[in-house]
Amino acid sequence: MLNQVLGLDLGTTTIGIAYSDAFGFVHGIETFRFDRNQYIVARKHVLEVLDKMMINEVAIGLPLHLSGEMSEMANNVLRFREDLLKERPNLIINTVDERLTSVSANNSISERGMNHKQRKDSVDRIAACIILDAYVRMKERQ
């Protein structure tokens, strides 16, 4: 049995949210929308989800450049992580290299034949699932 983990894919106006169950299966929860760069709203929502689901471990995607260098969004993710930890010092928050997860999410959506609206509503949630799945599999190997 594994600890439940919340997976996050943070963007400038959305955050994809997924969770893993005690057996390591990953489930998408939602794509939560917020006003551009209003990370405090996203943080509040994530804390509510953590409380509701009684989860204390998070895997958040870190969007590095293909070269491995930090991107501006990667810096936003690290600040978001720090702000979550200020509110909840007992949280375990690990970053996951998310290079190419959006590509994988879009490929997954294309395979399902989703229209533009369905695609827009799903891509961040699916990316959160991919990030979380990579994290859960890494934990299983350790």
Side-chain angles (χ1 to χ4, degrees):
M1 293 283 205
L2 299 168
N3 287 338
Q4 284 189 300
V5 181
L6 202 69
L8 303 175
D9 179 43
L10 182 66
T12 54
T13 61
T14 60
I15 186 163
I17 305 174
Y19 78 98
S20 66
D21 60 28
F23 300 102
F25 293 106
V26 173
H27 310 273
I29 297 177
E30 67 179 323
T31 295
F32 178 76
R33 299 192 181 288
F34 52 93
D35 289 336
R36 185 170 191 76
N37 295 321
Q38 293 298 307
Y39 296 115
I40 192 166
V41 174
R43 184 175 70 241
K44 181 177 182 244
H45 183 72
V46 167
L47 291 169
E48 289 170 359
V49 171
L50 288 166
D51 288 345
K52 182 174 143 188
M53 298 186 76
M54 296 184 293
I55 295 175
N56 69 352
E57 187 172 358
V58 176
I60 187 167
L62 188 64
L64 303 171
H65 290 296
L66 287 178
S67 65
E69 293 180 31
M70 293 287 289
S71 66
E72 180 181 337
M73 194 62 212
N75 289 319
N76 290 343
V77 165
L78 293 178
R79 274 193 300 280
F80 189 82
R81 178 184 181 274
E82 288 172 23
D83 290 343
L84 280 172
L85 287 170
K86 283 179 189 168
E87 297 238 6
R88 300 281 167 74
N90 63 325
L91 280 176
I92 299 163
I93 306 177
N94 290 291
T95 58
V96 177
D97 181 352
E98 72 165 48
R99 285 178 281 183
L100 306 178
T101 55
S102 292
V103 172
S104 295
N106 278 308
N107 288 342
S108 174
I109 287 168
S110 293
E111 290 168 6
R112 296 174 189 184
M114 293 181 172
N115 65 35
H116 179 73
K117 182 181 180 342
Q118 291 170 319
R119 181 180 299 246
K120 187 177 176 188
D121 290 343
S122 301
V123 69
D124 297 309
R125 178 178 40 83
I126 292 170
C129 288
I130 293 167
I131 289 163
L132 182 54
D133 189 63
Y135 179 72
V136 169
R137 302 303 150 237
M138 182 215 41
K139 281 184 68 170
E140 285 175 345
R141 286 190 299 270
Q142 290 179 344

